[in-house]
Amino acid sequence: MSAKPWHSLALCTLLLGSCGAEVAPAPRGEVGVAQFTVDGASKGLPDVATSIAQRLGGLGVGTVVPPAAVGPVAAEASTAERVELGDRTGARTLVVGSVKRVGEQIAVDARVLDLDSGKALGPPLAEQAKDAADVPRAVEALAQQIAARILAPPARAEDAPKPRKPKSDRDGKPREPIEIEADTLDAQTVAGGRRLQFAGHVNAIQGDVSLQCDGLDAFYPTGASEPDQLVAKGNVRVKQRDRTASCAEAVFYRSEDKLVCTGSPAELTEECNRAEAERITFYLETEKVEMLRGKVIGRDCEPGEAP
């Protein structure tokens, strides 16, 4: 084989860096993370956006396009800019954010956007780091929140099935979506949908009902933005207005709008009264409570006193 003439080699070097080299295709994926805006006081910090993108890749959100490939994107990007970004990266969800110092603390904010519509999927997310050494913890916490928002975005009125009206509270307003916070989150694809496993200081809120526990499994049918069932275990505490139930396990059946507590035994407190039962069922919309094989075990206060 004859050697290539020097001028051909020079031309290849100028145009491609080396003759015959292939240009790597641009990264593509379901979720894009844009470069975060960083104020002057935070310039020396590690690349928070890249760290979040790397962590999201292990949280079940799909393939993540890193900031180096997405570039800077404004939260109020135009339709043309969103279309170009979607065509270039394949992403349909975009994470944008900022890093700035507030005194000694470092504030990291993020928004999750639907690229097709440009609308935010829920309110902004934020974490505060005490100092530079605390940034990795804040990044981990924020990545967990972003993953939960992507996997289970807040329900929108236009997404509700048209033949059936959503559950309403006593004032006739649509029932609030379920908000869940926890130390860690793991997402899995299961038959018929997704399962999100929350662990550590779990706090779930829907309207006037709150639930705290050690661990929570949330099951989302395919295409659903709200879970159809929640299973809470470990130090479960359910509160609605002046009623509180404590139990070992609780299951929330969203279609029936009821929550069932079981334990050894389950305990119910209402104002000054305390009772135990094998099973306590809350009907959240009507605020009705049922107990199976229950008994009153005493009073914590006298009428008129604070419990």
Side-chain angles (χ1 to χ4, degrees), residues 208-233:
D208 61 0
V209 181
S210 63
L211 182 152
Q212 290 84 39
C213 60
D214 295 334
L216 178 73
D217 285 359
F219 299 89
Y220 291 77
T222 302
S225 59
E226 287 287 317
D228 66 350
Q229 187 180 97
L230 301 176
V231 179
K233 295 182 179 180

Side-chain angles (χ1 to χ4, degrees), residues 200-284:
H201 302 94
V202 181
N203 184 32
I205 299 175
Q206 177 178 280
D208 61 0
V209 181
S210 63
L211 182 152
Q212 290 84 39
C213 60
D214 295 334
L216 178 73
D217 285 359
F219 299 89
Y220 291 77
T222 302
S225 59
E226 287 287 317
D228 66 350
Q229 187 180 97
L230 301 176
V231 179
K233 295 182 179 180
N235 298 308
V236 180
R237 180 181 174 89
V238 180
K239 182 175 178 61
Q240 184 179 37
R241 297 182 182 271
D242 56 359
R243 283 191 289 252
T244 302
S246 301
C247 54
E249 181 173 319
V251 181
F252 174 42
Y253 302 92
R254 185 172 177 80
S255 62
E256 301 175 56
D257 208 36
K258 75 176 181 181
L259 192 147
V260 181
C261 289
T262 55
S264 54
E267 183 176 302
L268 176 66
T269 302
E270 183 172 3
E271 295 183 343
C272 294
N273 299 308
R274 294 174 63 236
E276 290 182 347
E278 182 178 314
R279 184 176 69 212
I280 301 172
T281 302
F282 284 77
Y283 293 91
L284 304 184

Side-chain angles (χ1 to χ4, degrees), residues 290-302:
E290 293 179 346
M291 293 193 298
L292 176 65
R293 286 186 280 277
K295 63 178 182 179
V296 175
I297 60 175
R299 300 179 63 86
D300 287 335
C301 61
E302 294 299 321

Side-chain angles (χ1 to χ4, degrees), residues 55 58-59 140 143-149 151 182-187 195-199 216:
R55 187 66 188 96
L59 292 175
E140 173 66 21
Q144 297 277 358
Q145 294 181 57
I146 293 170
R149 183 67 56 80
L151 293 167
D183 292 340
T184 63
L185 166 66
D186 182 49
R195 178 175 66 187
L196 304 188
Q197 293 178 301
F198 300 86
L216 178 73

Side-chain angles (χ1 to χ4, degrees), residues 112-136:
V112 182
L113 308 176
D114 175 68
L115 267 182
D116 290 334
S117 65
K119 294 181 179 179
L121 301 179
L125 303 170
E127 281 292 328
Q128 292 272 357
K130 294 180 295 184
D131 49 35
D134 191 39
V135 170

Side-chain angles (χ1 to χ4, degrees), residues 38-39 41-48 99-101 106 108 131-133 135:
V38 180
D39 70 359
S42 305
K43 291 293 185 182
L45 295 175
D47 187 344
V48 169
V99 181
K100 59 185 176 181
R101 285 191 179 271
I106 300 162
V108 185
D131 49 35
V135 170

